[in-house]
Amino acid sequence: MIISASRATDIPAFYSRWFFDRLKEGYARWRNPYNGKDSYVSFDKTRFIVFWSKNPAPIIQSLRLLKERNIGCYFQFTLNDYDAEGLEPYVPPIEQRIETFKLLVDTLGTGSVVWRFDPLILTDRISADDLLRKIENTANQLKGYAEKLVFSFADISTYRKVGRNLSAAGINYREWTESEMFEFAKGLSDLHLRVELATCAEKIDLSQFGIRHNRCIDPELICRLTPDFQDEINRLKTDKGQRALCGCISSKDIGVYNTCPHGCVYCYANSTPYSARQNYIRHQHNTSNDSIL
């Protein structure tokens, strides 16, 4: 009933035409990244879609097609400011993405676009204070448009390929300490940004600073946006296929790893930026495929 599009790649930025073609056909093929087996996802009973994107501009003009099918949606919009440091080399400039955020809110309504600054990464060029300034500057430009800010602390040691790609790009990163997390949370709370603050899949309890644990596939938000879906939503359980600290309810993700060409050097979903771009080029030559790859 709920489609996630997608934790594994940026469908709104790069695969929106494919997505709406598959929606029209009524199904998509999804390949399990661990065993290589294909399965088929039917859209027959889909009631809601959660989009994840760093540049949803290409999909905005097509969102009316969801409304025509009585399918609700909201966006997890990752709006980071790493332009100067080159951590996201192929995303549009921050000023352009802020305007896209506002346009998306104007299109879908307040609450339908969740702001993410994710992940918070420390390097020899980015301190915790730098991150606070970046967040404050972006928040000032999103006044009246953003209701919530979701963030997470980069946990690079968990993903070997992330550390490898950062090192290959010459990024001198380091892990967060627990004391730094608490200090950052206090600093963020002290900014009084007038947005709800929440962490994504973090063990640390920051509730003393008014920061709660987020549910990115959020039953409360879905029911708020589509009240007639409430009875069905209440029957859905926590998604056991996600990380242990994830609070999302169950959904079906239709994305494919190693296909997002944004080139973010900290990305966990790509083995290398080069291979992801090659797969995207391959998709461009076969857009009628029932799977992204």
Side-chain angles (χ1 to χ4, degrees), residues 220-236:
E220 293 182 4
L221 181 54
I222 293 173
C223 289
R224 170 185 162 189
L225 298 175
T226 54
D228 62 337
F229 195 14
Q230 185 165 353
D231 290 342
E232 293 152 291
I233 285 291
N234 289 338
R235 291 197 293 269
L236 296 179

Side-chain angles (χ1 to χ4, degrees), residues 7 16 31 35 40 49 51 61 64 79 125 127 139 155 210-211 217 231 255 286 291:
R7 293 179 176 93
S16 60
R31 177 159 294 175
N35 60 25
Y40 291 85
I49 298 168
F51 291 106
Q61 64 180 0
R64 57 179 176 77
L79 183 57
R125 296 181 60 192
S127 67
D155 185 11
I211 301 171
I217 310 292
D231 290 342
N286 189 18
S291 174

